[in-house]
Amino acid sequence: MQITVLSGKGGTGKTTVSTNLALSLPNVQFFDADVEEPNSYLFIKPDFADKSKSVLRKIPEVDQEKCTSCRACVDFCEYNALAMLGDEVLVYPEVCHSCGGCKHICPEGAITEKDKEAGEINWDLEVTEELEYWQGKMKIGEESSVPIIEELKEEIKPEKNVVMDAPPGTTCPTIEAAIDSDYCILVTEPTPFGLHDLKMAVEVVEELGKPYGIIINRAEEGENEIIEDYAAENNIDILLKIPFQRQIAELYSDGIPFVEELPEWKEKFQEVFADIQAVVE
Amino acid sequence: MKIVVTAADDNGLKAKLDSRFGRASYFAFVDTKDDSVEFIKNDAKNASSGAGVQAAQTVADTGADVLISGNIGPKAFDGLSRTDLEIYSGPEESIQKVIDEYQLGNLEQLESATKSAHAGLN
Ligand code: SF4
Ligand code: SF4
């Protein structure tokens, strides 16, 4: 079972939901796929200093001896990672998306590929008996986080309860994180902006055809209607409301997952999980 | 001499210089022999990826001798420096004025990129 936690934009409580959910369940494999800014480690506190590996991707290399400056590769690359300047093909590794196309298009066989480090993966197989932790981190200067998320997903163990913290937004990296999941949790806040971003996230999961539900973070009586009305109109489940409470906010800023201090919340997350299981099965 | 100026609009020699190299709307291609000006639309303006690289390619392909712009990112600058183009930074004034200043020798020639990779807009 894989659950992906998403939000239309950052800062809505995606990490709060995913880390607290992970800490409430048995047999969990947690993935921080928010690889541009992974921060779940602040709450889960894994020990992964010596457990890391590089994620490599292929970038083209042009043999200038063989190259006839025909420009076929430059015209082909839709990401503008190649340019013909001063009679030589110039490769811009940060812009290249490693699609491999230019190598095939070159009529002279002048293009080969070499490895470039795109990022890094860290893990801790035993944060607790019930929790295994994985994190991807993109290298600064890289343009696409997708190769790292792809590599992270290779580590998924199907027999585990997988909780994945997806990158915020609605573009390729978020889709990459959600595409193989069994269920998506959309995290939002009861504000007009929250609703706006929620609608964008709903479009993504509808497109992917995944079952999904909403968790309202910073929930407040009198404010929640904006999300509740939308959910009712569109027949979307609201799985949980995490109240706007001083204690929860303080625990967050101290890096303490609130389920650790408020055990009754563990039960609530377990109920959420049971609801999700019922939907998926 | 053939000069390319990054331009915000295509209003002949009255068009204004646009200081954003990769995201400028037009490239004004001026031939100082007869002061003719031709505008090339910058297709890279809305490119999601590699705008600076594509703009550098467009400018290099014009075969101009001189480029006058404002902020040029490191990727584009690195590419342009492999060509014979001389690169200058000009004020956000009309192209006529920019060319006059260039011919008077008042513009600064750029030897390196004017902004770092993290400024974002390249
Ligand atoms: S591998 Fe693809 S993205 Fe990279 S330079 Fe070649 S064509 Fe462009
Ligand atoms: S396609 Fe091959 S031969 Fe043509 S410019 Fe590119 S590298 Fe050179």
Side-chain angles (χ1 to χ4, degrees):
Chain A
M1 163 84 111
Q2 182 189 334
I3 300 171
T4 302
V5 183
L6 328 168
S7 64
K9 79 169 176 51
T12 48
K14 193 170 53 63
T15 304
T16 302
V17 168
S18 56
T19 52
N20 283 292
L21 174 66
L23 289 161
S24 303
L25 304 179
N27 191 29
V28 172
Q29 199 186 16
F30 181 88
F31 287 90
D32 194 337
D34 188 358
V35 303
E36 281 186 49
E37 233 174 306
N39 63 355
S40 60
Y41 69 93
L42 295 169
F43 303 94
I44 295 185
K45 303 183 179 67
D47 172 14
F48 56 34
D50 53 348
K51 291 158 221 146
S52 83
K53 62 176 179 185
S54 294
V55 180
L56 303 175
R57 65 184 178 92
K58 301 266 186 235
I59 54 163
E61 194 168 33
V62 179
D63 182 345
Q64 304 294 349
E65 300 277 297
K66 288 191 190 161
C67 173
T68 56
S69 304
C70 76
R71 280 182 93 130
C73 57
V74 177
D75 294 338
F76 172 82
C77 179
E78 59 179 306
Y79 300 105
N80 300 313
L82 301 173
M84 175 70 68
L85 294 161
D87 294 334
E88 283 197 356
V89 177
L90 214 63
V91 179
Y92 287 92
E94 302 84 7
V95 186
C96 168
H97 281 52
S98 301
C99 76
C102 51
K103 188 177 84 179
H104 294 290
I105 226 80
C106 175
E108 308 296 331
I111 301 182
T112 51
E113 291 179 321
K114 63 175 180 187
D115 286 331
K116 175 177 192 328
E117 190 179 14
E120 165 176 288
I121 289 178
N122 292 86
W123 64 91
D124 180 348
L125 297 182
E126 214 171 24
V127 181
T128 69
E129 258 171 48
E130 301 295 344
L131 180 60
E132 178 176 323
Y133 180 89
W134 292 81
Q135 167 195 288
K137 195 167 176 41
M138 182 162 121
K139 208 173 159 184
I140 291 170
E142 285 286 300
E143 283 208 354
S144 171
S145 56
V146 171
I148 300 151
I149 299 170
E150 279 172 348
E151 194 85 9
L152 254 188
K153 284 177 16 185
E154 293 287 312
E155 304 297 341
I156 289 179
K157 297 174 184 157
E159 72 278 11
K160 296 253 180 198
N161 293 319
V162 173
V163 176
M164 184 169 295
D165 187 354
T170 52
T171 56
C172 299
T174 309
I175 291 164
E176 184 61 40
I179 197 156
D180 303 315
S181 57
D182 300 304
Y183 192 94
C184 294
I185 296 177
L186 312 183
V187 183
T188 189
E189 291 175 351
T191 65
F193 290 119
L195 178 62
H196 172 261
D197 297 328
L198 173 65
K199 285 180 180 167
M200 298 207 313
V202 165
E203 264 177 51
V204 171
V205 288
E206 285 281 350
E207 184 89 359
L208 293 174
K210 301 290 176 196
Y212 60 97
I214 296 170
I215 291 187
I216 305 179
N217 189 37
R218 301 199 189 98
E220 264 184 294
E221 284 307 319
E223 307 287 336
N224 296 337
E225 287 73 17
I226 185 166
I227 302 295
E228 286 167 345
D229 291 349
Y230 167 77
E233 266 167 44
N234 294 279
N235 224 344
I236 307 171
D237 290 337
I238 294 185
L239 302 164
L240 188 68
K241 295 173 209 164
I242 301 173
F244 189 52
Q245 243 176 36
R246 191 185 194 130
Q247 194 182 9
I248 289 180
E250 278 174 3
L251 288 168
Y252 180 85
S253 58
D254 291 340
I256 300 169
F258 65 84
V259 292
E260 312 259 279
E261 298 287 319
L262 308 165
E264 67 275 19
W265 279 92
K266 269 197 183 166
E267 278 161 41
K268 295 194 186 181
F269 277 105
Q270 285 157 6
E271 280 162 27
V272 166
F273 184 71
D275 291 345
I276 291 175
Q277 259 178 329
V279 170
V280 172
E281 280 150 23
Chain B
M1 171 165 328
K2 299 185 174 74
I3 303 177
V4 169
V5 184
T6 49
D9 56 89
D10 60 352
N11 187 18
L13 289 168
K14 289 199 203 105
K16 270 214 151 146
L17 179 143
D18 189 331
S19 61
R20 302 163 308 159
F21 175 72
R23 304 281 178 195
S25 299
Y26 295 93
F27 299 113
F29 183 76
V30 183
D31 192 337
T32 54
K33 226 175 28 212
D34 51 5
D35 270 353
S36 66
V37 53
E38 200 187 311
F39 286 88
I40 304 163
K41 218 171 168 51
N42 179 15
D43 293 328
K45 188 180 179 200
N46 300 316
S48 59
S49 149
V53 179
Q54 199 188 335
Q57 183 75 66
T58 306
V59 170
D61 289 347
T62 62
D65 308 292
V66 169
L67 165 67
I68 308 175
S69 185
N71 297 316
I72 304 181
K75 290 191 199 113
F77 198 92
D78 180 48
L80 289 169
S81 61
R82 286 166 202 248
T83 67
D84 296 328
L85 264 178
E86 288 183 13
I87 305 170
Y88 290 84
S89 166
E92 285 191 332
E93 304 271 0
S94 72
I95 288 179
Q96 181 68 62
K97 168 111 175 146
V98 170
I99 302 264
D100 289 347
E101 294 285 326
Y102 166 74
Q103 287 177 328
L104 289 168
N106 289 342
L107 299 189
E108 182 198 353
Q109 185 166 3
L110 298 176
E111 303 293 344
S112 64
T114 47
K115 60 192 177 76
S116 74
H118 294 291
L121 277 171
N122 55 344

